[in-house]
Amino acid sequence: MREYKLLIDGALVDGAAGTMDVVNPATEAPVAACPLADEAQLDAAVAAAKAAFPAWAARPLAERAALIDRLADAMMERRDEFARLLTQEQGKPLDQATGEIMGSVFTLKAFTTMTLDPRVLKDEPGHKVIEYRRPLGVVAAITPWNFPVVLLMNKVGPALLSGNTMVAKPAPTTPLTSLLFAELAKDILPRGVFNILCDRNDLGARLSTHPDVAKIAFTGSTATGKKVMESAAGSVKRITLELGGNDAAIVLDDAEPVETAQKVFQGAMVNAGQVCVAIKRAYVAEPLYDSFCAELARLAKEAIVDDGDKQGTQVGPLQNKAQYEKVKDFLDDAKANGSIIAGGEALDRPGYFIPPTIVRDVAPDARIVQEEQFGPILPVLSYRNVEEVIADVNRSDYGLGGTVWGKDVGRAMDVASRIDSGTVWVNQAMALDPSIPFRGAKQSGFGGELGEEGLHEYTQPHIVNAITA
Ligand code: NAD
């Protein structure tokens, strides 16, 4: 098996706390051993990032951009190796894994085109005010297991471009692609600018309370996000929280049912439903309901569920055993509170496989409707009055994304504008773009990722306000 190392202060090193097997969720066989950091290594990584900060921050932005561009090119050159490893540790089908790697390269490159030029806020006779953007210091990047590469790159691009240094901590079940990225970083970036630690879910709290960490860029569950917020209070750290969601698809009565069902199915089942902005519940206008459900069921029954390494696989396994057990609980809830028209049973084979499952005639207050299932189960509800649907959707504590579908685009956009979420897509799903800011509302988090606003999140505005005469 190939060896993986931590990156601390420019050196690839073993973990002082031993190793842990990373398991392929399609086979339950080990992929490789992950090195585990101890607390002293965490402190060393933060100290290295702190020491590297002044020189990195002092470099011209164009030089930092050039090095990020080299990182993107290096990842592109090894995209097949990254994608295969991603499928092995995460479970997603190889074409989706390749898409994640290409998206990562694209995201890094998009940030290299951004600038942080000073803004002149006032320029009057005798008075000039300029806003500069300064880096914050050491950024801790904490990532989850569903998109381990692109969610890290969403942070690496803006954090490094704006002159911060980093300590990254991937999720314990998907650390290997981040460690592969660290090998590129070791050869391209100055010592200490990018460091990476792995853990058994036991170092996140220490990293996010560390007094020398200036900002925490966190993507993960709302429950852990709340802990991060508490941890940040000690030294008033800056935080970005990209948390959970329970995104609704609202299908209006003028939508084309078959074509829309196909797009909604894709938006619900990609990455086996383990996407923060996946469609997690669908509200369908009553006249379309039966044909819409029938098409979803057809697609679910036809979907090829298998090891993501096998060509043609459309839906891979759940990423880890804990999530698999959680989604099986949701299956029980779906059976008790609705009518399952496709899927419904975990597959009897090694690996954490649950086939695409469609639940119709489901009680609106069932857990499968009200909570984030983060798996390949789609509850479908029928409605008569769209005003009631908007009110239902907005009752959620979450507010990450959502979709609205209909031929009258003006009406669909009007409905979209009334959903209390950070992003609502119309006649498309999950269209994330590095040039467009992405952020959650309510308990889906705050602080933007991506776009120029995402870049600004890694900076401190610094105002110089001068009497000039
Ligand atoms: P998680 O919250 O369990 O873990 C996320 C990361 O936090 C991991 O690296 C984990 O080790 C670390 N962590 C654990 N305890 C910590 C602590 N006390 N302090 C700091 N860090 C700690 O999330 P997960 O189960 O890996 O991911 C799934 C969740 O992530 C879902 O809810 C999903 O919706 C959400 N998510 C959100 C987005 C988004 O952009 N909004 C994107 C992807 C996933």
Side-chain angles (χ1 to χ4, degrees):
M1 255 188 280
R2 188 190 192 285
E3 279 206 337
Y4 292 87
K5 307 269 186 189
L6 307 174
L7 177 62
I8 300 174
D9 201 12
L12 294 171
V13 296
D14 288 330
T19 62
M20 182 175 69
D21 278 350
V22 175
V23 169
N24 181 334
T27 59
E28 298 177 54
V31 180
C34 168
L36 298 171
D38 68 1
E39 293 188 348
Q41 285 182 313
L42 186 155
D43 292 343
V46 175
K50 187 178 176 189
F53 173 66
W56 179 247
R59 283 177 98 133
L61 182 136
E63 279 184 24
R64 295 195 299 260
L67 291 174
I68 295 169
D69 200 51
R70 277 183 57 196
L71 280 173
D73 287 341
M75 187 183 272
M76 185 66 186
E77 267 171 35
R78 292 169 70 176
R79 65 183 178 278
D80 293 342
E81 186 184 353
F82 268 98
R84 266 197 312 277
L85 185 62
L86 181 56
T87 291
Q88 284 171 7
E89 71 170 347
Q90 203 283 333
K92 65 186 62 178
L94 193 55
D95 60 337
Q96 291 180 30
T98 304
E100 180 172 344
I101 303 307
M102 300 298 281
S104 300
V105 170
F106 183 61
T107 300
L108 287 178
K109 290 214 172 246
F111 277 107
T112 66
T113 65
M114 294 186 197
T115 53
L116 285 167
D117 295 332
R119 277 201 315 151
V120 177
L121 303 182
K122 261 191 206 298
D123 192 3
E124 296 163 355
H127 189 198
K128 191 160 187 173
V129 182
I130 304 179
E131 181 195 64
Y132 298 89
R133 290 267 168 189
R134 287 181 161 183
L136 299 167
V138 178
V139 170
I142 302 180
T143 45
W145 43 257
N146 59 343
F147 286 86
V149 186
V150 77
L151 292 172
L152 179 57
M153 295 312 125
N154 285 353
K155 299 167 178 53
V156 166
L160 296 187
L161 184 77
S162 51
N164 301 281
T165 55
M166 297 182 79
V167 178
K169 197 209 76 61
T173 55
T174 53
L176 300 178
T177 40
S178 299
L179 294 174
L180 188 58
F181 174 76
E183 293 175 17
L184 309 181
K186 176 194 174 287
D187 292 338
I188 293 172
L189 296 174
R191 172 182 162 184
V193 167
F194 180 84
N195 304 270
I196 182 162
L197 305 163
C198 299
D199 70 341
R200 292 180 189 275
N201 243 350
D202 53 353
L203 291 182
R206 187 177 174 97
L207 184 58
S208 47
T209 44
H210 199 294
D212 289 333
V213 168
K215 173 182 169 94
I216 308 160
F218 175 84
T219 304
S221 63
T222 295
T224 311
K226 288 177 184 177
K227 291 185 195 160
V228 168
M229 207 164 163
E230 279 178 29
S231 303
S235 55
V236 195
K237 298 184 200 315
R238 304 303 181 258
I239 47 177
T240 307
L241 300 179
E242 300 289 347
L243 310 178
N246 190 15
D247 294 3
I250 302 177
V251 181
L252 300 173
D253 56 10
D254 63 345
E256 200 291 303
V258 172
E259 192 188 316
T260 308
Q262 290 166 358
K263 290 182 180 160
V264 167
F265 183 79
Q266 187 60 18
M269 300 302 169
V270 69
N271 201 25
Q274 302 162 113
V275 188
C276 55
V277 288
I279 294 170
K280 293 180 180 140
R281 47 190 171 146
Y283 294 83
V284 181
E286 195 180 43
L288 311 182
Y289 188 65
D290 287 335
S291 50
F292 195 89
C293 288
E295 179 63 8
L296 287 176
R298 186 186 72 76
L299 293 164
K301 286 175 186 159
E302 276 185 3
I304 300 170
V305 184
D306 208 336
D307 187 330
D309 254 341
K310 285 200 189 147
Q311 212 179 357
T313 296
Q314 291 166 297
V315 181
L318 276 296
Q319 198 282 315
N320 56 71
K321 189 149 199 310
Q323 186 63 21
Y324 176 63
E325 297 301 335
K326 193 175 139 194
V327 175
K328 282 202 292 185
D329 272 358
F330 276 109
L331 276 184
D332 292 342
D333 179 72
K335 279 179 206 157
N337 292 295
S339 157
I340 296 201
I341 53 171
E345 297 295 338
L347 300 190
D348 184 14
R349 58 174 278 184
Y352 311 133
F353 289 97
I354 292 180
T357 296
I358 308 296
V359 198
R360 60 169 288 167
D361 305 316
V362 55
D365 57 352
R367 275 185 62 219
I368 188 67
V369 179
Q370 296 301 330
E371 296 179 23
E372 181 187 41
Q373 69 274 45
F374 222 58
I377 312 177
L378 181 64
V380 191
L381 298 94
S382 152
Y383 73 85
R384 285 191 186 155
N385 180 344
V386 75
E387 295 301 321
E388 285 172 16
V389 173
I390 294 169
D392 270 0
V393 169
N394 285 342
R395 254 192 287 282
S396 175
D397 286 336
Y398 290 120
L400 194 58
T403 58
V404 183
W405 307 82
K407 278 206 189 92
D408 179 345
V409 177
R411 178 173 161 234
M413 286 179 76
D414 176 60
V415 172
S417 71
R418 294 166 59 203
I419 302 298
D420 297 338
S421 284
T423 303
V424 185
W425 290 282
V426 172
N427 293 331
Q428 58 174 352
M430 287 190 232
L432 291 167
D433 175 333
S435 67
I436 298 173
F438 173 72
R439 65 179 84 71
K442 300 191 278 186
Q443 293 192 27
S444 289
F446 58 81
E449 212 159 54
L450 304 179
E452 205 162 66
E453 287 175 43
L455 179 61
H456 287 173
E457 291 280 333
Y458 290 85
T459 65
Q460 172 66 43
H462 179 70
I463 304 284
V464 174
N465 186 336
I467 298 297
T468 54

